[in-house]
Amino acid sequence: MSVTTHNVPAPDDGEPLPIAEVARRTGLPLRLRDTGMSIADMQAFAQLRRKGDSSVKERLDLLSRHRDDVRARIRELRTKLRSIDKKGHLLRGPAQVKRWHGALLAGLLIGLGGCASEQPAAITSPTTSASAPGQAVHTGFSSPTGLAFGRDGTAYVSNWSGGTVERITPDGKRSTLAEVPSPSGVAVDEGGNVYVASYSGDVIYRVTPAGERREFATGFQTPAGISFDSKGNLLVCNRASDEILRVTPAGEVSRVTGGLNTPVGVIEGPAGDLYVANYVGGVVSRITTDGKVTAFSDDFDGLGVGMALDGSGRLYATDRSGGQIKRVERDGSTVPVMSGLSSPVALAMDPKGVLHAATWGDGALYRVTV
């Protein structure tokens, strides 16, 4: 399926263009039937449109309600997909399930009006055990995707849309450490060097504390989340190839395992097992030290890059589509610890044991109460 993009020319005075003028300049048909909107709502929208630009807010409200309805249907279908996967693994085996799962998910989302390309909105969980986000610690990020802390408590945040890695010192001073094309995962070694995955460049960069950037390893396929294992090797989610790769301190790359489902986050547990966040299917996989891959937890609407461990070895992960941070218990069940976030993607524990999350939707950094 091809996707057509449109460059909308901005008016000279910087004021927003009327909707009719946007349609005229871009040639967009703006057909509501393509969104899956009901006939009654389309008729109501048409009546509002006849009022001109004075009805823009009302039309946006109608679209927002329709968008919420579509996302509710998507969440319901994701739950059904997980049940299909479980049955499919029994009947077909993991390899066959992987081949048809992606196509099935894409078909369902396209049938709901093409919402698969939009960024997920935050969904507030009905649970009462999870805390609300509260006031953001820092704001103004551009699609933050990766988060890591140095031993001194300095935070490093990857600005996906901004093409930068931001540094925030313990006293709150913020600066740009380095420019990196489409930075995704970040990790910090014992010497304070920052490692950054360039999603679009297929490269892992090493950035010194002074901001000097050099290529550390190359040849990846859309690398996403990264983290260090207990031996000082860098673990890399090779998103496009469904693999986890290991990079030695010397930059030598080897394969840990494959056959995953769009891996975006990885972390090593206390016993040496690896835990992987699979974006498609909302499943956390566990890779044991002997290389066996199993589904550990499937209680997520859509996992993000961030994964973290507390001092007791308990696992935390971002439910990006669900707007939550969840703790994963040892039996694979989950407990929401924070709800109402706007597409949380990044997650990391600071040296004092405080959990932090960065949200794609509102470009902010929050402390997470666990």
Side-chain angles (χ1 to χ4, degrees):
M1 179 182 68
S2 62
V3 178
T4 303
T5 58
H6 300 270
N7 293 320
V8 180
D12 294 337
D13 58 7
E15 291 298 319
L17 287 170
I19 290 178
E21 179 64 11
V22 172
R24 185 187 71 79
R25 294 193 185 194
T26 63
L28 284 169
L30 300 178
R31 293 182 300 179
L32 290 176
R33 65 183 179 185
D34 292 340
T35 72
M37 184 178 284
S38 68
I39 293 176
D41 282 347
M42 285 192 288
Q43 290 173 338
F45 193 95
Q47 291 177 354
L48 289 170
R49 186 170 52 198
R50 295 190 189 101
K51 297 180 181 180
D53 289 341
S54 62
S55 68
V56 167
K57 184 180 183 302
E58 293 172 278
R59 280 180 275 169
L60 287 174
D61 288 343
L62 196 156
L63 285 174
S64 179
R65 290 195 299 272
H66 175 53
R67 189 173 186 270
D68 290 342
D69 289 342
V70 170
R71 292 207 172 278
R73 292 165 64 191
I74 290 174
R75 293 197 300 275
E76 180 182 357
L77 288 173
R78 286 187 184 278
T79 300
K80 293 179 179 179
L81 277 174
R82 287 197 288 268
S83 297
I84 292 172
D85 282 352
K86 291 177 181 178
K87 188 67 174 179
H89 276 286
L90 293 175
L91 298 177
R92 299 172 182 251
Q96 179 66 15
V97 169
K98 179 183 178 298
R99 282 195 290 271
W100 54 263
H101 176 271
L104 178 60
L105 177 60
L108 288 171
L109 295 184
I110 291 169
L112 286 172
C115 291
S117 62
E118 298 178 3
Q119 296 303 332
I123 303 163
T124 303
S125 170
T127 181
T128 57
S129 62
S131 63
Q135 186 174 358
V137 180
H138 294 280
T139 59
F141 298 103
S142 300
S143 307
T145 304
L147 173 64
F149 286 88
R151 296 181 64 183
D152 64 350
T154 297
Y156 299 91
V157 182
S158 62
N159 264 336
W160 169 285
S161 299
T164 63
V165 176
E166 301 294 302
R167 174 171 51 194
I168 306 171
T169 59
D171 60 1
K173 294 180 180 179
R174 180 171 162 182
S175 60
T176 297
L177 175 68
E179 294 184 357
V180 175
S182 302
S184 49
V186 294
V188 186
D189 68 15
E190 293 295 317
N193 297 298
V194 180
Y195 296 74
V196 188
S198 174
Y199 188 88
S200 61
D202 293 333
V203 175
I204 304 293
Y205 290 102
R206 178 167 54 196
V207 184
T208 68
E212 181 182 353
R213 190 194 79 181
R214 291 185 178 180
E215 289 187 356
F216 173 62
T218 61
F220 299 97
Q221 294 174 271
T222 58
I226 61 176
S227 65
F228 282 103
D229 66 15
S230 57
K231 297 180 180 178
N233 300 305
L234 190 66
L235 302 170
V236 181
C237 291
N238 219 29
R239 191 181 191 275
S241 68
D242 292 331
E243 297 174 304
I244 299 298
L245 304 180
R246 179 184 289 115
V247 189
T248 68
E252 299 174 350
V253 182
S254 61
R255 183 176 183 267
V256 176
T257 193
L260 297 165
N261 217 347
T262 316
V264 293
V266 60
I267 194 169
E268 184 183 66
D273 295 340
L274 303 183
Y275 296 91
V276 179
N278 293 279
Y279 181 74
V280 174
V283 174
V284 175
S285 298
R286 176 166 56 192
I287 307 170
T288 57
T289 53
D290 59 0
K292 294 181 180 179
V293 182
T294 57
F296 177 60
S297 177
D298 64 357
D299 192 19
F300 292 85
D301 289 327
L303 284 151
V305 172
M307 306 184 84
L309 293 167
D310 65 15
S312 300
R314 296 183 299 182
L315 178 67
Y316 296 83
T318 56
D319 194 340
R320 175 182 174 182
S321 299
Q324 296 180 321
I325 306 300
K326 292 182 175 180
R327 184 177 68 244
V328 186
E329 304 292 5
R330 303 190 191 283
D331 62 356
S333 62
T334 64
V335 177
V337 296
M338 181 167 282
S339 295
L341 293 163
S342 183
S343 299
V345 174
L347 189 70
M349 194 77 68
D350 71 16
K352 295 182 179 180
V354 179
L355 191 62
H356 299 255
T359 50
W360 181 291
D362 58 359
L365 182 64
Y366 294 90
R367 290 191 182 94
V368 181
T369 301
V370 297

